[in-house]
């Protein structure tokens, strides 16, 4: 509320453009070749156009606006709630100085003073690396070589069984029935033939006996 009153009084008593920071000054620190992000917040500035400029903030000093960036290394993101952030990438030592976060108003714009300090140091970088674990394996002894050979032989045996089992095919039920039926028929035929042969031999023997008796009678 205090900020909005100050802005209204500034617009009333100072019709010319005078940069007055409505809040405490902002200080930003960074290192060369790195990035910094500056956050600026204004009241009653939801839909107002925002921009970021270098002192003295004339038209030629504007670096980035809400719509687009005039300098490649400066980017502005408007959250549409009175707050926006400015990111400066690839910092250079010459970037040190005074800047202004600004909001366009009817009459006089609102400003926040920003002081940027760029150091030559590189800052602190923490790089996390995944530790590598190495496990030393002792040279194989005679027992271990024997166990390894036994294991490989067992694997070979299992592989061979799997290969032959893979070649087997299931025998259909009707084939089994046909085989059993054929075997029964063969047994019956064999039995009939055997009985026939026995009866034939018996008849031949009987005939021979009759002939012998007849010869004796005639003698």
């Amino acid at each position: 509320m205090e900020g909005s009153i100050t802005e209204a009084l500034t617009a009333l008593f100072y019709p010319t453009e005078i940069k007055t920071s409505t809040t405490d000054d902002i200080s930003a620190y960074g290192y060369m070749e790195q990035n910094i992000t500056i956050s600026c917040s204004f009241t009653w500035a939801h839909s107002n156009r925002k921009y970021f400029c270098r002192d003295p903030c004339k038209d030629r000093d504007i670096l980035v606006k809400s719509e687009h960036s005039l300098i490649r290394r400066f980017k502005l993101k408007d959250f549409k709630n009175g707050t926006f952030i400015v990111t400066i990438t690839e910092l250079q030592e010459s970037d040190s100085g005074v800047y202004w976060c600004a909001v366009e108003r009817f009459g006089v714009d609102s400003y926040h003073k920003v002081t940027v300090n760029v150091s030559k140091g590189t800052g602190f970088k923490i790089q996390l690396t995944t530790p590598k674990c190495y496990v030393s394996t002792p040279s194989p002894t005679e027992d271990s070589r024997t166990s390894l050979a036994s294991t490989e032989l067992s694997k070979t045996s299992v592989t061979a069984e799997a290969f032959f089992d893979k070649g087997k095919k299931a025998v259909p039920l009707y084939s089994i029935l046909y085989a059993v039926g054929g075997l029964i028929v063969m047994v019956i035929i064999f039995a009939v033939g055997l009985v026939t042969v026995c009866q034939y031999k018996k008849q031949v023997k009987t005939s021979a006996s009759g002939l012998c008796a007849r010869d004796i009678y005639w003698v």
Side-chain angles (χ1 to χ4, degrees), residues 13-101:
F13 294 104
Y14 299 95
T16 57
E17 183 176 344
I18 299 177
K19 294 181 289 299
T20 303
S21 180
T22 57
T23 60
D24 295 335
D25 294 347
I26 301 172
S27 296
Y29 300 89
Y31 296 91
M32 291 181 60
E33 304 300 330
Q34 295 188 11
N35 308 333
I36 60 172
T37 299
I38 302 164
S39 178
C40 302
S41 182
F42 293 85
T43 56
W44 304 100
H46 296 73
S47 59
N48 299 63
R49 180 183 298 176
K50 286 84 173 175
Y51 60 94
F52 187 75
C53 58
R54 189 157 191 170
D55 192 66
C57 202
K58 300 297 183 181
D59 289 342
R60 64 177 181 275
D61 301 317
I62 297 176
L63 303 171
V64 60
K65 293 183 178 181
S66 298
E67 293 82 3
H68 61 281
S69 175
L70 303 178
I71 305 298
R72 182 181 62 84
R73 296 188 300 110
F74 291 80
K75 296 179 176 59
L76 187 151
K77 183 176 181 181
D78 187 1
F79 294 98
K80 302 298 183 180
N81 59 0
T83 300
F84 66 94
I85 60 173
V86 176
T87 301
I88 308 176
T89 62
E90 302 175 5
L91 284 172
Q92 303 172 5
E93 191 175 5
S94 59
D95 291 331
S96 297
V98 176
Y99 297 82
W100 296 89
C101 291

Side-chain angles (χ1 to χ4, degrees), residues 79-147:
F79 294 98
K80 302 298 183 180
N81 59 0
T83 300
F84 66 94
I85 60 173
V86 176
T87 301
I88 308 176
T89 62
E90 302 175 5
L91 284 172
Q92 303 172 5
E93 191 175 5
S94 59
D95 291 331
S96 297
V98 176
Y99 297 82
W100 296 89
C101 291
V103 172
E104 291 186 356
R105 305 278 191 187
F106 179 75
V108 179
D109 295 348
S110 299
Y111 298 88
H112 288 340
K113 184 179 179 180
V114 179
T115 302
V116 176
N117 297 280
V118 180
S119 301
K120 293 183 178 179
T122 57
F124 295 97
K125 291 184 179 180
I126 301 176
Q127 184 175 2
L128 300 178
T129 57
T130 303
K132 296 181 179 180
C133 298
Y134 298 92
V135 180
S136 59
T137 305
S139 58
T141 60
E142 188 66 28
D143 293 339
S144 61
R145 285 196 291 266
T146 303
S147 177

Side-chain angles (χ1 to χ4, degrees), residues 194-206:
L194 184 60
V195 171
T196 304
V197 170
C198 291
Q199 289 181 353
Y200 176 76
K201 287 184 177 181
K202 188 177 181 179
Q203 291 177 358
V204 170
K205 187 177 181 179
T206 304

